[in-house]
Amino acid sequence: MTDRKDQLAHSLARVEERISTACASAGRPREEVTLIVVTKTYPASDVRLLAELGVRHVGENRDQDAAPKAAECSDLPLTWHFVGQLQTNKVRSVVNYAGLVHSIDRDRLVTSLSQAAARTGRETELDCLIQVALDAESGERGARGGVAPDGVAALADEIAAAEGLRPAGLMTVAPLSGPFAGRPRAAFERLMEISTHLRAAHPTANMVSAGMSADLEDAVAAGATHVRVGSAVLGVRPRLG
Ligand SMILES: *Cc1c(COP(=O)(O)O)cnc(C)c1O
């Protein structure tokens, strides 16, 4: 193995062990949690090595970086998750490679994604996760994107009604401000409550995307189905990406 592949194999094994341990503590089967490796700021060559090591889900947060990387890796059996804040002018590009978008937080994005998905003639509906901002229960979008909890139901209905889109679940990032600041476990438990309400109206919207390198255990304990892990696998990013 190359040095880099060796390094990635080791960090991946450590993350895998953390997920397994967290599942065991929570009394959950390991298969309930899917690892998405967030490869932002790292090159396509790393994505290729990760695929060789068995990774099947990768996440990116900027279309400018993700689009060429996905094109370079189009021969690999990977599902691409778009996890970053999304501008409507990037939507046409994103629907070409993303299987799932985790960051739906406004009507305009639903409309644009639906039009773009229809235009590309995708064979499957685009799985759409609503990003929930837990800084406050209602009001403005969160500083890092996301709709307040009281806006989730309406947005889910819009996604369900939109051609080419399917409501797939919820995503959050542990908030830095508000009542859940510094309390990721409580934040993720709140997300699970919102998920329960959402599933009553849209039973297939059962994905819960929560937890990153620092707090994946809290997310698994709360009930997350998908964790998004970047730096714990690839190393600390040179700059915030
Ligand atoms: C970067 C990023 C991650 C991964 O963060 P790490 O702390 O590197 O694990 C997860 N989710 C989103 C939305 C991100 O932008």
Side-chain angles (χ1 to χ4, degrees):
M1 279 204 268
T2 61
D3 286 352
R4 181 57 172 159
K5 189 171 180 181
D6 220 19
Q7 207 174 48
L8 290 174
H10 275 99
S11 54
L12 200 55
R14 252 195 323 269
V15 166
E16 178 54 45
E17 194 178 315
R18 285 176 61 189
I19 296 172
S20 300
T21 304
C23 283
S25 309
R28 303 180 62 194
R30 170 64 189 87
E31 313 82 71
E32 275 186 19
V33 180
T34 299
L35 169 64
I36 301 166
V37 178
V38 179
T39 49
K40 65 186 183 194
T41 77
Y42 286 93
S45 54
D46 278 353
V47 177
R48 193 164 287 279
L49 293 174
L50 289 166
E52 288 172 14
L53 292 167
V55 169
R56 291 294 173 264
H57 295 269
V58 293
E60 287 282 334
N61 74 333
R62 282 162 49 94
D63 176 64
Q64 299 92 303
D65 303 328
K69 229 185 274 187
E72 233 179 289
C73 296
S74 62
D75 58 315
L76 302 174
L78 292 171
T79 297
W80 293 78
H81 297 246
F82 193 87
V83 302
Q85 289 186 51
L86 182 53
Q87 308 302 320
T88 48
N89 64 346
K90 304 294 185 205
V91 156
R92 283 181 74 169
S93 170
V94 167
V95 297
N96 286 322
Y97 57 86
L100 305 90
V101 174
H102 288 228
S103 43
I104 315 286
D105 60 2
R106 58 198 190 278
D107 310 357
R108 278 276 286 130
L109 212 42
V110 176
T111 314
S112 309
L113 279 166
S114 176
Q115 284 167 354
R119 203 182 284 123
T120 55
R122 297 171 58 98
E123 284 175 14
T124 55
E125 291 183 305
L126 181 68
D127 279 321
C128 293
L129 284 78
I130 295 170
Q131 183 178 348
V132 184
L134 293 169
D135 310 83
E137 283 294 313
S138 66
E140 296 288 294
R141 286 200 295 135
R144 304 153 94 186
V147 63
D150 70 349
V152 169
L155 205 48
D157 291 344
E158 286 184 39
I159 294 167
E163 189 193 344
L165 309 184
R166 177 167 59 198
L170 300 178
M171 182 272 245
T172 204
V173 177
L176 297 174
S177 63
F180 295 115
R183 303 168 60 218
R185 173 74 182 267
F188 299 146
E189 283 170 355
R190 177 72 186 110
L191 186 72
M192 290 306 299
E193 287 176 8
I194 301 166
S195 169
T196 301
H197 286 290
L198 173 66
R199 279 175 285 144
H202 302 281
T204 59
N206 57 5
M207 288 177 58
V208 180
S209 167
M212 318 201 311
S213 294
D215 52 21
L216 72 87
E217 283 84 359
D218 290 314
V220 171
T225 62
H226 290 68
V227 293
R228 310 178 308 271
V229 180
S231 50
V233 173
L234 288 139
V236 176
R237 288 178 293 277
R239 61 182 172 80
L240 215 66

